[in-house]
């Protein structure tokens, strides 16, 4: 698994989490993303969104869940005005 203080994805437990951006005021928050399941979260969100142990079991994913997903929803086209 990962070293202490190294984030793991709350949704799929992948330990290859990357930092997407940081707060304008250094050290206040970071936005992290999981490359496997694409979950993103800000480090200041509640523990149920930032910690694997507190993440709702109903929404947790395994590597097998991701590999055998029947469909990844497409992003709909933008509406024209």
């Amino acid at each position: 698994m990962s070293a202490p203080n190294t984030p793991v994805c709350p949704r799929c437990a992948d330990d290859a989490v990357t930092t997407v951006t940081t707060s304008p005021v250094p050290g206040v928050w970071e936005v992290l993303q999981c490359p496997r399941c694409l979950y993103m979260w800000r480090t200041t969100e509640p523990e149920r969104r930032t910690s694997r142990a507190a993440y709702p079991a109903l929404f947790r994913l395994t590597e097998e869940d991701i590999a055998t997903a029947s469909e990844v929803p497409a992003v709909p086209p933008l509406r024209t005005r």
Side-chain angles (χ1 to χ4, degrees):
M1 209 66 159
S2 62
N5 297 324
T6 301
V8 297
C9 177
R11 183 162 64 177
C12 75
D14 191 19
D15 61 0
V17 171
T18 59
T19 300
V20 176
T21 192
T22 57
S23 65
V25 177
V28 175
W29 51 260
E30 296 177 303
V31 174
L32 306 175
Q33 181 175 31
C34 174
R36 181 166 55 191
C37 73
L38 304 179
Y39 183 68
M40 293 180 81
W41 68 98
R42 191 184 317 220
T43 54
T44 55
E45 292 186 57
E47 192 172 352
R48 69 182 182 278
R49 300 289 172 250
T50 62
S51 167
R52 176 71 175 177
Y55 195 80
L58 179 65
F59 299 109
R60 291 183 190 176
L61 297 175
T62 65
E63 193 169 350
E64 182 180 355
D65 292 332
I66 296 166
T68 60
S70 60
E71 180 181 343
V72 175
V75 175
L78 291 174
R79 294 185 287 185
T80 57
R81 293 182 190 231

